[in-house]
Amino acid sequence: MVVAMALFAMYFHPSVHPRRTEEMLVASFKNRRMEHGFHYASPRQALRWLEVHRRHSPAAGGGPAAGIYPASMRAAAAEVGAGAWLVSLGCGGGGKERAWVEAGGLSGAVACDVSPALVWTARDAWKQAAPELEVRGVVADVRAVADLAPLWDGWTGMRPRVFTFFGMMPNFEPDEALPGLVAGLRAEDVLLLSANLAPGFDPWEGCTHVLPQYANAETEHWLRAVLDDLDVPREVFDVEFLVRECRGIHRIEATAVFRAPGTVAAGGASWAFQPGERLRLFFSQRPTLAQVRAQCADLKLRVLGEWVAPDGQEAVWMLRREGAGE
Ligand SMILES: C[S@@+](CC[C@H](N)C(=O)[O-])C[C@H]1O[C@@H](n2cnc3c(N)ncnc32)[C@H](O)[C@@H]1O
């Protein structure tokens, strides 16, 4: 069942209800693993992340990955024809899709993100690019995608949809969000999926090569915000960035390592961290091309197109669900 509340054309889905959010925050500290959504939720975090993206993403500002996104969207537009809807899941600032919105041919666009500030940013960017376009904003946890589908099914009607899932794979475990999204694809829908990759032949070396995109002052400043907001003094912990392998996939992890006692209070509970204790703040998975292709095959996704950045650090796939609607 979908219960949505309208607030200036932005809908808040129950997956971001404050009570659920509080439970997730408590679980993050209990398990010593911060939920990724908590790095984007507040306007301050959204602004810090936008700065990280501008400064360090190979897809921003004409970087090496900049070309693969417009190319994939041009192909998707040709594949679905005029009159489709764009549904951007984890839209961020909506910058990647902006050119397509501006180019025309869409019936409407949905900006979906866990961060209200980023839904507004994407919505504004698209309205500026195409003032007449119907743009909907929804604040939601994409892991509730099965519950969300009736919401955009209502908006899009029977029109084909192109779902963009850009920059999302790195922050979710492989079984977390994607299977639910795939299950909701109709025969006429297309999914554009991006992955950040471990470039080169050796994934460990590849991840070490891209580590400076994460281990820098702007990213640390952004990731510290969640503990800043909970009044944890900056001087009681350091942020460590390292490469790890987890269930066969390499990733970059950022961890708060306490160097002095610190207490975190949230949701009516509190946790005391002693020097040496660790709290994982963030991870970014960097699979190989072969691993993403295998994941698509496991999910019965048919590959219609693949665009790999010249430096091998990012790729986008255009996909349809095999057997959808049969
Ligand atoms: C790396 S950014 C990618 C943004 C944009 N798609 C792009 O490629 O530039 C990840 C985005 O996912 C959003 N996000 C993180 N966890 C989420 C969740 N559980 N549900 C919905 N959005 C989430 C963040 O707020 C952020 O905007």
Side-chain angles (χ1 to χ4, degrees):
M1 186 182 66
V2 171
V3 183
M5 184 178 84
L7 175 70
F8 307 123
M10 179 149 71
Y11 291 79
F12 284 79
H13 182 262
S15 54
V16 292
H17 187 288
R19 204 173 313 117
R20 183 167 182 270
T21 304
E22 191 176 81
E23 280 167 17
M24 283 165 56
L25 192 58
V26 167
S28 293
F29 286 110
K30 211 165 134 196
N31 304 328
R32 302 290 202 255
R33 289 167 177 208
M34 185 54 60
E35 169 63 38
H36 280 101
F38 291 125
H39 291 305
Y40 302 87
S42 74
R44 172 158 74 161
Q45 289 171 317
L47 287 171
R48 288 189 190 180
W49 175 74
L50 287 169
E51 181 60 16
V52 168
H53 186 66
R54 254 190 303 273
R55 297 273 294 259
H56 300 289
S57 169
I68 61 175
Y69 291 91
S72 71
M73 284 182 269
R74 279 194 298 274
E79 177 71 21
V80 292
W85 272 73
L86 164 69
V87 183
S88 175
L89 300 177
C91 58
K96 291 200 173 94
E97 292 91 346
R98 189 189 157 117
W100 185 9
V101 167
E102 198 163 24
L106 289 166
S107 280
V110 178
C112 174
D113 201 285
V114 78
S115 163
L118 290 172
V119 171
W120 268 125
T121 307
R123 194 178 173 279
D124 284 355
W126 299 348
K127 284 305 272 184
Q128 234 176 46
E132 303 304 321
L133 188 71
E134 186 176 346
V135 178
R136 305 280 188 153
V138 51
V139 182
D141 183 336
V142 293
R143 285 168 302 185
V145 69
D147 193 28
L148 281 161
L151 186 65
W152 46 69
D153 287 355
W155 290 333
T156 63
M158 291 315 290
R159 299 242 178 220
R161 289 87 54 94
V162 177
F163 290 86
T164 54
F165 203 59
F166 290 155
M168 298 297 279
M169 299 263 283
N171 296 165
F172 289 102
E173 300 293 351
D175 52 357
E176 258 189 312
L178 194 54
L181 165 57
V182 171
L185 292 179
R186 302 194 299 226
E188 61 278 16
D189 294 340
V190 160
L191 170 63
L192 289 177
L193 183 73
S194 80
N196 292 8
L197 303 168
F201 295 108
D202 178 340
W204 189 274
E205 270 179 26
C207 284
T208 306
H209 177 71
V210 298
L211 192 58
Q213 289 172 23
Y214 303 84
N216 55 63
E218 292 77 22
T219 305
E220 178 174 336
H221 188 51
W222 165 53
L223 294 175
R224 276 180 172 274
V226 67
L227 293 179
D228 290 346
D229 286 346
L230 293 166
D231 296 324
V232 180
R234 299 204 126 210
E235 57 280 7
V236 301
F237 68 95
D238 298 310
V239 180
E240 177 188 276
F241 292 87
L242 47 74
V243 176
R244 274 194 62 202
E245 186 185 339
C246 190
R247 288 186 282 171
I249 298 181
H250 289 73
R251 52 166 69 176
I252 287 159
E253 280 193 6
T255 305
V257 185
F258 282 76
R259 56 183 154 103
T263 303
V264 184
S270 71
W271 295 267
F273 286 85
Q274 298 306 323
E277 279 196 73
R278 302 167 71 82
L279 167 68
R280 187 182 78 191
L281 291 175
F282 171 85
F283 66 80
S284 177
Q285 305 198 81
R286 310 279 316 202
T288 61
L289 270 175
Q291 284 172 323
V292 184
R293 287 174 186 149
Q295 195 182 353
C296 291
D298 286 349
L299 288 167
K300 307 243 175 312
L301 287 167
R302 186 158 47 93
V303 177
L304 305 177
E306 180 185 88
W307 295 263
V308 184
D311 61 3
Q313 293 186 18
E314 280 183 45
V316 181
W317 286 263
M318 179 165 72
L319 305 154
R320 275 199 200 268
R321 185 177 149 215
E322 300 268 13
E326 282 171 8

